Amino acid sequence: MTNCNFCDDEINYHEIIDCITFALDTRDPYTGGHSQRVSDMALEVCKILNLDKNETEKIHIAAHLHDIGKIGVPDAVLQKQGKLTENEWQQMKKHPEYGANILKKSHRLSELSEIVLMHHERFDGKGYPFGKSGNEIPLGARIIAICDSIDAMTSNRCYRKSLSFETCYNEIKINLGKMYDPQIGQKVLDNWSQIIGVLAQA
């Protein structure tokens, strides 16, 4: 649906998406705030990359919905206060597929399904669910992967305290070309203060 324009009815779409993510937030309070922060950072990255308005809005919405598939993950796994077993981890890793299937139910949002499906792929091909690499991964998914990691690293988790922004910066840097698209990642690092400034406003 390449002619779909996500700039139309923008406010209405974000209101609907807020309702959807709130439903997930009732099960996992961390995920709701996380999705908003990732969405805000992804929007900033799109601006830095000078993407057009429609592409920017697609990625912005996809980032807001990137973890919606966690609604299909059992509570015992999603809310576990400790390290997941291998079986539990395999269940958690299904959330991109669940999310993509949810979005495919909508005529308009189906265009975002591949972005959501591949936001845990790695640039070096060692991610999931398919082991895609490089430009096989949609641009939006490559952007979300970096923003997702930044928020995850700088947030408190049940199994560790948040990392400093300096530590996070260094982790992104050493993983350029591995976990992250090196060009997008370098743009993020070059504009680091602008990116983490979004988190301060959240």
Side-chain angles (χ1 to χ4, degrees), residues 1-200:
M1 312 229 188
T2 55
N3 293 324
C4 178
N5 190 336
F6 278 86
C7 298
D8 293 341
D9 302 321
E10 178 179 324
I11 295 176
N12 289 337
Y13 261 84
H14 281 289
E15 286 178 351
I16 292 168
I17 288 161
D18 282 340
C19 291
I20 295 171
T21 53
F22 180 77
L24 178 58
D25 197 15
T26 61
R27 292 189 62 218
D28 181 14
Y30 167 77
T31 300
H34 167 72
S35 294
Q36 181 64 62
R37 293 188 297 272
V38 171
S39 179
D40 291 344
M41 278 191 284
L43 177 59
E44 205 65 29
V45 174
C46 288
K47 292 177 182 177
I48 290 167
L49 296 175
N50 293 315
L51 300 184
D52 67 54
K53 187 176 180 181
N54 192 53
E55 185 72 12
T56 294
E57 189 60 14
K58 282 170 54 180
I59 294 170
H60 187 201
I61 294 172
H64 207 157
L65 292 169
H66 77 281
D67 271 345
I68 192 62
K70 286 184 177 178
I71 205 163
V73 177
D75 284 344
V77 175
L78 188 65
Q79 300 172 4
K80 185 173 181 179
Q81 297 293 305
K83 187 176 180 179
L84 299 179
T85 66
E86 180 58 29
N87 180 61
E88 290 168 339
W89 176 234
Q90 292 304 317
Q91 292 182 69
M92 181 67 81
K93 285 169 67 175
K94 292 179 180 178
H95 79 268
E97 296 174 78
Y98 294 154
N101 288 335
I102 290 169
L103 296 181
K104 286 178 182 177
K105 299 296 183 182
S106 165
H107 177 71
R108 288 286 295 273
L109 296 179
S110 62
E111 188 175 350
L112 309 179
S113 62
E114 281 207 347
I115 298 176
V116 170
L117 179 63
M118 298 193 205
H119 77 273
H120 277 298
E121 297 287 2
R122 291 171 43 129
F123 199 78
D124 62 7
K126 296 180 180 179
Y128 63 89
F130 304 122
K132 298 284 188 180
S133 63
N135 291 336
E136 292 180 318
I137 306 167
L139 174 62
R142 283 178 273 146
I143 291 172
I144 292 170
I146 297 175
C147 300
D148 192 20
S149 291
I150 292 171
D151 189 68
M153 283 190 272
T154 58
S155 299
N156 287 319
R157 296 295 184 92
C158 61
Y159 52 87
R160 64 149 174 81
K161 292 185 177 179
S162 62
L163 304 180
S164 69
F165 287 125
E166 180 181 3
T167 299
C168 179
Y169 178 100
N170 291 330
E171 284 296 314
I172 298 294
K173 186 174 182 178
I174 65 176
N175 279 289
L176 295 181
K178 298 175 185 177
M179 292 182 70
Y180 313 115
D181 181 306
Q183 294 183 323
I184 297 173
Q186 190 58 57
K187 284 285 189 179
V188 167
L189 297 180
D190 291 344
N191 296 273
W192 188 246
S193 295
Q194 184 176 341
I195 297 298
I196 64 174
V198 172
L199 296 179

